[in-house]
Amino acid sequence: MSTSPNLKSNIKLRSGVSVTSITGKGLFKSFGEGEMQTTAVNDVSIDIKQGEVALMMGPSGSGKTTLLAILSGLLKPDSGKVTALGQDIWTMSEREREHFRLKHCSFIFQGYNLFSSLTARQQLEIVAQWGDGASSREARKKADEILDVLGLLKKAHLRPGELSGGEKQRVAIGRALIKNPDFCFADEPTSALDWAHGEQVIDILRSAAHERGCTVLIVAHDARVIPYADKIFYLEDGKMIDDGGKSIHKTYGKMP
Amino acid sequence: MSYALSTLWYDRQRYLPGVLAVGFSALLIALQCGLLLGLFSITSIPVDHTTADIWLGAPEVLSVDLGRPIREASLARLASQPEIERVEIYLQGFSYWSKPDGGTELCMVIGSRLDENALGKVKELSKDLYLQLSEPGTIVIDESDLGRLGVKGVGDHAEVAGNRVRIVGLTTGLKSLAGPYVFCSINTARPLLRVFPDQITYVLGKCFNPKDAATVVSRLKENQNVSAFTSPEFSLRSRMHWLLKTKAGIALGYAAALGLLVGAVVTSQTLYSATAASLREFAVLRAMGIPRWRMQFMVMQQSLFVGIIGVGLALPAVHGLAAVADYFGGRVELPIWLQSIAAIVTLTMALFSGLFALRSLRNVEPAALLR
């Protein structure tokens, strides 16, 4: 599925893709206490540039999702610093961080998490209206633009129960992209999809990064995502492994 | 259509218990109050079914049936008011009815003038009946009280306060509460009520312009030796007295409170579970920084819509049930103010239920989506 031309016409392009967008330094996070304590993220540092598609891989329980939650401002690290767009997000107040997320961050989760009672169009409109304070007319216009880009305009009136898994995930992506975010955090966005649909999803996210300058961080198990990433991180037991791709090769086999 | 309304319509089966609970509460409040109003409207029949604009009685009269004797000379006090067109005397009070086959029953004797334009004559007394009542010792009772008074119908005799009376006619629809109504002339009523010749119970007045009644009454109220009321005032006063005296108001309050409580619990649980079912979706919005108040506002909108739909369903049902009650001889009064109060109280209850359901949104935790 090609989305590039439409995306270009709809959404502002950002320049300077080499600018550092988000940085994590010395991040540490553990759960539990005493003997029950487990370390999920252990002294991790990470650096992602604006407009990059960064892929975070690693075996189950390696701490990838925890790291994504820390970088996205949803889970406070025990120590370390996260700088996004030049701002230290973990020294902000809860309200400031919420406002930061409102202005700059979007999320795509493993489950589609769409309101069963709302149409595809309304799933997007609700974000535009409640998030950006758009009027219902503006929200509808924006929603239809995005749905058109995602090839879903004809299904805008359908509810999640009437959409396929791939279509639902595209609606979830539309919901994330309608606010034109600086960051898009995606947790296993293709895990519930067959590869044909999964590839569509990754392609859309890649377009969002390369054409809109959105920094995309994807947590995924699926090795088929690897060719679409600009940068790959590998986590094991909470530690970032930088061995020139050997661990990735070992875990996922030969790189596609 | 708002998201709240879209959700409500799509998940209507989920919200149905809440809508029905609100409707049930509104129905309970309106119907119970209507039944009570209907019941106690019986006490104000002498006021409501006659044509006087003003009632003048003994000081601090609590209800029309609790009037005390006043001097007939009070007639002049009302008659002297410039707005008054005409006045007349009126007798009313409790007495004892001796049944032909033994036993006594409390009854309410009403003695009034009996000409065509008489102010104290109930409208149910036809010309034929009030002409017959001009014969001393004759009375008219309501057909619904025949059994209670131990008589079979027109032509029967009985005794009231030791005076022999003859039934010359029957009315319909004048049910009684404390004691059956016994309608008669002023002259017949005096011995039945055992009042002195110069004593009466009320002076009734008719204004040239009925709108002047309130002015006349406020002027008369300055004199503490009498009490004066416009007809609507006296009617309401009589009903309220019985409502409060019989503690029926307390019973009503309990029943209404219970109805509201049941409604509130079901509605709030309905809204709570409906909101809880969408926690993950709300969590996504929270992750994207959308403020919590947006979601709270949506829940409150839903509670308002649940309330409006519930009340909308209840009011026609109330009227239907009132018609059924009327058919079976009950009496339900549903003035607009009562329906409005029932609607407002129930809508407020629905909104409070919404507030209570907001606690489910406390569980919205965006980080949980990443575990």
Side-chain angles (χ1 to χ4, degrees):
Chain A
M1 187 177 111
S2 173
T3 59
S4 308
N6 284 334
L7 271 176
K8 270 184 184 165
S9 63
N10 279 305
I11 303 152
K12 70 179 183 220
L13 280 163
R14 295 185 178 94
S15 59
V17 287
S18 61
V19 174
T20 297
S21 187
I22 187 163
T23 308
K25 279 205 176 359
L27 297 171
F28 186 91
K29 180 71 185 175
S30 63
F31 297 103
E33 286 181 7
E35 289 182 4
M36 299 298 287
Q37 190 178 54
T38 53
T39 303
V41 174
N42 192 354
D43 193 23
V44 170
S45 292
I46 188 169
D47 184 292
I48 309 169
K49 301 266 189 296
Q50 186 185 352
E52 273 186 340
V53 176
L55 180 62
M56 186 110 66
M57 306 196 81
S60 293
S62 59
K64 343 182 257 303
T65 300
T66 303
L67 182 59
L68 180 108
I70 291 169
L71 292 170
S72 62
L74 294 181
L75 186 66
K76 187 174 171 57
D78 296 337
S79 62
K81 182 178 177 182
V82 176
T83 308
L85 302 176
Q87 293 175 269
D88 183 345
I89 63 168
W90 286 111
T91 57
M92 293 176 182
S93 67
E94 180 63 40
R95 180 166 287 195
E96 286 169 338
R97 199 162 36 253
E98 188 177 300
H99 187 66
F100 182 87
R101 291 205 310 267
L102 178 63
K103 279 188 77 178
H104 304 291
C105 303
S106 271
F107 292 83
I108 298 158
F109 297 99
Q110 196 170 349
Y112 317 114
N113 300 317
L114 300 173
F115 289 97
S116 59
S117 54
L118 301 185
T119 64
R121 179 182 287 124
Q122 286 176 315
Q123 310 277 352
L124 274 63
E125 286 175 341
I126 202 169
V127 175
Q129 282 192 283
W130 289 9
D132 294 344
S135 68
S136 55
R137 182 176 292 184
E138 288 167 352
R140 188 187 172 101
K141 188 166 173 274
K142 277 185 173 185
D144 282 355
E145 281 175 8
I146 298 281
L147 287 171
D148 194 19
V149 169
L150 297 172
L152 284 172
L153 193 54
K154 285 184 178 169
K155 299 197 171 183
H157 62 288
L158 298 181
R159 293 188 167 80
E162 300 159 301
L163 298 170
S164 70
E167 288 166 340
K168 279 188 262 197
Q169 192 61 301
R170 276 190 278 156
V171 173
I173 293 174
R175 178 173 61 181
L177 298 183
I178 193 169
K179 58 191 267 195
N180 204 14
D182 291 292
F183 300 101
C184 185
F185 300 97
D187 183 32
E188 304 277 9
T190 60
S191 66
L193 305 175
D194 58 52
W195 178 240
H197 287 114
E199 190 178 24
Q200 281 182 359
V201 166
I202 295 299
D203 192 39
I204 295 164
L205 290 175
R206 193 175 153 84
S207 299
H210 293 175
E211 291 162 25
R212 300 172 51 198
C214 177
T215 305
V216 178
L217 177 57
I218 302 172
V219 164
H221 266 109
D222 193 341
R224 288 175 294 189
V225 179
I226 292 171
Y228 294 85
D230 300 314
K231 190 179 270 183
I232 301 168
F233 299 100
Y234 186 80
L235 243 68
E236 200 168 281
D237 297 332
K239 281 184 169 290
M240 190 74 83
I241 310 293
D242 186 7
D243 57 4
K246 286 180 188 164
S247 297
I248 297 172
H249 180 75
K250 192 173 148 191
T251 308
Y252 298 102
K254 193 180 176 194
M255 300 251 285
Chain B
M1 195 158 53
S2 75
Y3 306 117
L5 210 50
S6 292
T7 306
L8 212 62
W9 176 245
Y10 181 78
D11 278 342
R12 51 194 177 277
Q13 283 194 325
R14 186 194 288 276
Y15 288 95
L16 189 62
V19 170
L20 293 179
V22 169
F24 176 70
S25 294
L27 186 137
L28 203 67
I29 293 170
L31 209 56
Q32 276 199 316
C33 292
L35 274 167
L36 216 59
L37 277 181
L39 181 66
F40 287 109
S41 69
I42 292 170
T43 63
S44 59
I45 280 177
V47 181
D48 300 333
H49 291 227
T50 53
T51 53
D53 294 327
I54 294 171
W55 289 67
L56 187 82
E60 296 176 5
V61 170
L62 298 170
S63 165
V64 63
D65 51 0
L66 298 176
R68 299 186 307 279
I70 56 172
R71 294 175 65 84
E72 195 168 336
S74 304
L75 193 76
R77 184 170 291 163
L78 186 56
S80 64
Q81 303 297 320
E83 296 88 349
I84 294 294
E85 179 196 332
R86 58 196 160 97
V87 292
E88 65 180 52
I89 59 174
Y90 183 89
L91 284 160
Q92 177 170 356
F94 286 106
S95 193
Y96 286 98
W97 174 284
S98 302
K99 299 179 187 176
D101 58 351
T104 56
E105 182 73 37
L106 196 66
C107 65
M108 169 62 68
V109 175
I110 292 179
S112 65
R113 286 183 54 146
L114 295 167
D115 51 277
E116 190 173 350
N117 296 318
L119 300 177
K121 173 177 65 67
V122 291
K123 61 188 177 194
E124 285 78 2
L125 280 182
S126 62
K127 186 173 185 181
D128 181 44
L129 283 182
Y130 66 71
L131 286 177
Q132 289 191 62
L133 283 178
S134 58
E135 183 187 339
T138 56
I139 59 161
V140 165
I141 59 173
D142 193 76
E143 62 177 5
S144 63
D145 289 322
L146 284 171
R148 192 171 167 186
L149 294 173
V151 287
K152 291 189 177 68
V154 175
D156 275 13
H157 289 82
E159 274 189 12
V160 179
N163 300 281
R164 189 173 165 80
V165 292
R166 181 167 60 91
I167 301 165
V168 294
L170 299 172
T171 57
T172 52
L174 295 177
K175 291 169 192 165
S176 56
L177 197 64
Y181 287 117
V182 174
F183 301 100
C184 58
S185 66
I186 298 271
N187 288 337
T188 303
R190 283 193 191 283
L192 305 189
L193 291 171
R194 292 180 175 169
V195 292
F196 293 114
D198 69 332
Q199 284 184 325
I200 56 170
T201 318
Y202 295 105
V203 179
L204 310 187
K206 185 82 182 162
C207 295
F208 291 107
N209 181 353
K211 288 179 182 170
D212 291 332
T215 313
V216 175
V217 163
S218 63
R219 200 182 301 139
L220 290 168
K221 275 180 178 169
E222 290 168 11
N223 187 328
Q224 293 181 346
N225 295 327
V226 291
S227 56
F229 309 96
T230 62
S231 292
E233 266 177 9
F234 204 27
S235 172
L236 183 65
R237 186 181 176 89
S238 302
R239 294 177 197 202
M240 291 310 290
H241 171 72
W242 282 99
L243 181 71
L244 299 174
K245 187 185 175 184
T246 57
K247 313 289 185 208
I250 296 173
L252 166 82
Y254 266 112
L258 275 176
L260 272 181
L261 189 69
V262 171
V265 168
V266 176
T267 309
S268 97
Q269 276 308 113
T270 303
L271 289 166
Y272 180 89
S273 58
T275 309
S278 295
L279 277 191
R280 292 183 70 82
E281 288 75 37
F282 284 129
V284 173
L285 300 182
R286 289 286 296 137
M288 291 207 260
I290 288 169
R292 198 183 295 269
W293 72 262
R294 288 279 189 181
M295 294 149 219
Q296 291 170 332
F297 188 63
M298 179 172 163
V299 174
M300 292 311 293
Q301 277 182 313
Q302 284 174 339
S303 65
L304 182 66
F305 287 133
V306 164
I308 290 171
I309 297 168
V311 170
L313 290 175
L315 289 180
V318 168
H319 283 277
L321 288 172
V324 172
D326 274 348
Y327 180 78
F328 287 106
R331 184 171 178 165
V332 183
E333 288 207 355
L334 295 169
I336 293 293
W337 62 262
L338 174 61
Q339 295 179 54
S340 305
I341 287 176
I344 290 167
V345 168
T346 331
L347 280 177
T348 309
M349 179 273 282
L351 285 173
F352 271 102
S353 302
L355 279 179
F356 197 63
L358 289 183
R359 71 192 194 283
S360 64
L361 288 176
R362 283 191 219 136
N363 302 326
V364 172
E365 182 49 66
L369 296 170
L370 290 168
R371 281 171 197 155

